[in-house]
Amino acid sequence: MVGVTNYSKEVAETTEKGYVKVGKMNGRKASTSLLICGMIGLTLAGCSSKKDEVVPSAVPTVAPTSSTVATPEAKKEPVTLKWYSTSGNANLPATKALLEDYKKYSGNTVELETVAGDGDVIYKKIDIDLSTSGSVDIIPLQNPIIHAKYANSGFLLPLNDLYKESGVDYEKKFGKYLTKFNDKVYMLPTGAGTWAVFYNKKIFDDAKVPYPKGEWTWDQYVETAKKLTDPSKGIYGSNFPDYDNTFYLLAAQRGISGYKADGTSNYDDPAFKESLQWLGDLGNKLKIQPSWLETKSKKIPYDVFMNGKYAMQFTGTWFAFAPIDLKTYPRDWKVGITQPPVDPNGKNMIGITSGNGINKFSKHPKEAADFVNWVADNQYKYGGSGTPARVDLTKEDTDKIFNEMAAKFPTTDGITTDDLKDVFLTPNLGLKPEKITGSIAAEYGKIILQEGESYLVGQKPLDDTIKAIKTRADEAIDKAKTVKN
């Protein structure tokens, strides 16, 4: 991948310091990259406040649009563009192939501004550069927090007018995967990451419970988990990751913003209270999965599903690397994968999109826009399998992508191309941001984790918890305004 890091567990997890976690990736970077994040530059975009809201579009079924931006005048005189990249991604063969192909197409050269290291270290360098305008043209936007941060800080170039002049219909090409801030587009997506349910077929078979398939609700998920939970065998029917966004999952699927229209915290919306109580009940009352206290005290790892004692695992589709890796996770049971359950009040999955933006001070904005569009159009052709953010691809295109992905799973699992298309593309579901970003993105997640945990472990009443989250979030929002002014 170019200019990005592998994005798996860190998709939805904010550390206590407010940064996206990357420390648990070492043992699985290669597998994750090849499967889910294998497309060059798979980065993240995402959520925002109601004020800075992701605007999903309907998903059209049309023939592929042209991947060509109208030839910039500067192509008569080839230019050299610069694109940030981590050192690991810079040396990938697929990266080199992509850049060579773009030069053949455009005549322009793209050089990588390589940053040593991995994880969010690249953004420390970008922050410094952008504070003094910087000379790098293209900025990878690898998660919703980064995307919102740079868009709201005025570091990114609005792309609407450039693409209007060039005849690029980004609404048609990217549909529900296109992210806007105040109706402005700052990024064209290269890939998408959503959520799914992985399940242990042996536990289902032993309990004589049918495998889940297609669209289903959280009520159905809970009832299924009850049938599969067997304390005598140490089997849980369900497991959730310990991410801040699981605290407000139902609200996220309903598209409830973390901010009110006036910019203050919206955490007193009843949907957030309902979401936190529901999450707590899964472990504390229904006991279909480990309680939050058990998860933390026993330090249950993110990949515990692979020990064979959990019937279902709700997590990001990036987790598909684990069932494929039989060396790290040997097993004598079969894995299945299906769509995430939906909230009855909104048939939406949660997830992210990722891509590239342009430095507001780029000396070659038209050429940079041409490159960003070309990568967004062609990303899925390079470096392995993943979920393309284009909604206008032909059946032949998508079949090829998911045929390759299905071939990576053990044949005994019986996972087909259609199974993966159903899960990764979810044409029957809308897309809502999985995280709250806005003006205090990292701080918001930190507050939710700290205060929400006090409720989940029984230290604070639910109403007091919600009030504390809103109060602290409002204080952080006011502080952010003061700093900005």
Side-chain angles (χ1 to χ4, degrees):
M1 299 186 299
V2 179
V4 297
T5 59
N6 297 303
Y7 187 77
S8 56
K9 184 170 189 290
E10 61 269 29
V11 166
E13 181 172 6
T14 302
T15 69
E16 292 186 356
K17 292 183 179 179
Y19 298 114
V20 175
K21 274 193 177 179
V22 295
K24 296 185 180 180
M25 287 297 298
N26 293 339
R28 55 195 170 84
K29 287 179 181 176
S31 298
T32 308
S33 177
L34 287 174
L35 177 68
I36 307 302
C37 299
M39 299 181 297
I40 310 305
L42 177 58
T43 55
L44 309 175
C47 33
S48 181
S49 65
K50 191 169 184 180
K51 180 180 178 181
D52 297 330
E53 188 172 357
V54 173
V55 181
S57 303
V59 182
T61 303
V62 296
T65 56
S66 171
S67 64
T68 305
V69 175
T71 304
E73 292 182 6
K75 284 186 179 178
K76 298 177 182 178
E77 295 292 335
V79 302
T80 296
L81 302 170
K82 291 186 178 182
W83 188 16
Y84 285 107
S85 171
T86 59
S87 53
N89 295 321
N91 294 318
L92 289 175
T95 302
K96 297 176 181 179
L98 181 145
L99 297 181
E100 289 173 0
D101 287 350
Y102 179 69
K103 185 172 183 178
K104 292 176 184 177
Y105 153 75
S106 68
N108 296 326
T109 299
V110 177
E111 294 181 350
L112 300 180
E113 181 76 6
T114 304
V115 181
D118 215 342
D120 63 351
V121 66
I122 189 172
Y123 290 105
K124 295 178 182 178
K125 165 69 171 172
I126 294 175
D127 283 346
I128 294 173
D129 290 352
L130 293 184
S131 67
T132 56
S133 299
S135 60
V136 178
D137 304 278
I138 300 113
I139 303 170
L141 302 169
Q142 76 175 31
N143 64 57
I145 292 176
I146 292 296
H147 185 201
K149 171 186 174 181
Y150 289 157
N152 291 329
S153 298
F155 285 142
L156 300 179
L157 181 70
L159 304 177
N160 305 56
D161 292 341
L162 280 173
Y163 289 132
K164 183 177 181 180
E165 292 174 6
S166 301
V168 175
D169 191 344
Y170 45 70
E171 299 277 4
K172 178 181 289 187
K173 286 199 293 184
F174 305 112
K176 65 183 178 181
Y177 298 116
L178 187 69
T179 303
K180 295 181 180 180
F181 294 87
N182 293 330
D183 290 327
K184 292 182 180 179
V185 174
Y186 294 97
M187 177 195 79
L188 292 190
T190 54
T194 55
W195 288 58
V197 172
F198 295 84
Y199 60 92
N200 183 320
K201 291 184 175 180
K202 183 179 186 303
I203 295 178
F204 274 80
D205 292 341
D206 290 346
K208 295 181 172 52
V209 174
Y211 302 149
K213 184 175 179 61
E215 188 176 306
W216 56 330
T217 67
W218 282 114
D219 287 344
Q220 292 173 315
Y221 176 91
V222 169
E223 289 306 310
T224 301
K226 288 179 180 179
K227 296 175 183 177
L228 299 167
T229 299
D230 188 344
S232 68
K233 296 180 180 179
I235 293 176
Y236 281 108
S238 169
N239 191 52
F240 274 37
D242 58 348
Y243 305 160
D244 65 296
N245 69 324
T246 63
F247 287 36
Y248 52 87
L249 174 60
L250 302 184
Q253 285 190 310
R254 295 173 192 172
I256 306 298
S257 173
Y259 302 83
K260 297 182 186 296
D262 61 5
T264 59
S265 170
N266 192 40
Y267 224 81
D268 54 352
D269 186 290
F272 290 103
K273 177 180 176 179
E274 179 186 349
S275 297
L276 183 56
Q277 182 174 21
W278 178 80
L279 175 65
D281 286 350
L282 297 181
N284 295 333
K285 291 186 177 181
L286 300 176
K287 300 187 184 304
I288 60 175
Q289 67 183 33
S291 67
W292 188 265
L293 181 60
E294 184 180 1
T295 296
K296 291 304 181 181
S297 62
K298 293 184 178 180
K299 297 181 179 179
I300 296 177
Y302 74 93
D303 55 356
V304 70
F305 170 76
M306 299 308 299
N307 73 9
K309 293 293 185 179
Y310 292 80
M312 297 185 289
Q313 174 71 56
F314 173 63
T315 190
T317 50
W318 56 264
F319 191 77
F321 85 91
I324 289 171
D325 186 358
L326 295 180
K327 183 176 181 180
T328 303
Y329 304 103
R331 55 187 168 90
D332 58 1
W333 47 277
K334 301 174 185 178
V335 169
I337 182 173
T338 193
Q339 289 188 12
V342 296
D343 182 83
N345 295 315
K347 292 185 177 181
N348 299 302
M349 60 178 172
I350 58 168
I352 52 83
T353 52
S354 57
N356 297 285
I358 300 173
N359 181 353
K360 181 179 180 179
F361 298 99
S362 169
K363 295 180 181 178
H364 309 289
K366 290 187 177 181
E367 291 81 1
D370 180 72
F371 177 69
V372 167
N373 180 67
W374 187 88
V375 172
D377 277 358
N378 296 284
Q379 177 69 73
Y380 69 95
K381 301 175 184 178
Y382 297 84
S385 301
T387 305
R390 288 180 60 183
V391 299
D392 62 345
L393 296 179
T394 65
K395 183 177 183 298
E396 181 180 3
D397 289 328
T398 55
D399 280 350
K400 182 177 186 298
I401 293 169
F402 292 104
N403 281 338
E404 293 176 356
M405 186 183 294
K408 295 178 184 294
F409 286 89
T411 55
T412 52
D413 285 338
I415 294 175
T416 68
T417 297
D418 286 341
D419 290 335
L420 295 175
K421 288 171 66 175
D422 181 58
V423 171
F424 282 78
L425 300 181
T426 52
N428 59 314
L429 302 180
L431 175 67
K432 295 297 181 182
E434 68 181 37
K435 290 184 71 68
I436 297 173
T437 58
S439 62
I440 57 164
E443 185 71 9
Y444 220 144
K446 172 184 171 183
I447 292 169
I448 291 168
L449 277 172
Q450 290 178 344
E451 297 294 341
E453 181 173 285
S454 66
Y455 165 72
L456 294 177
V457 301
Q459 294 179 343
K460 185 181 291 187
L462 180 59
D463 287 339
D464 291 351
T465 299
I466 296 299
K467 182 178 179 180
I469 293 174
K470 174 170 172 52
T471 298
R472 289 185 58 187
D474 281 334
E475 291 173 351
I477 291 169
D478 286 340
K479 183 178 180 181
K481 289 180 180 178
T482 302
V483 171
K484 186 174 181 179
N485 295 332

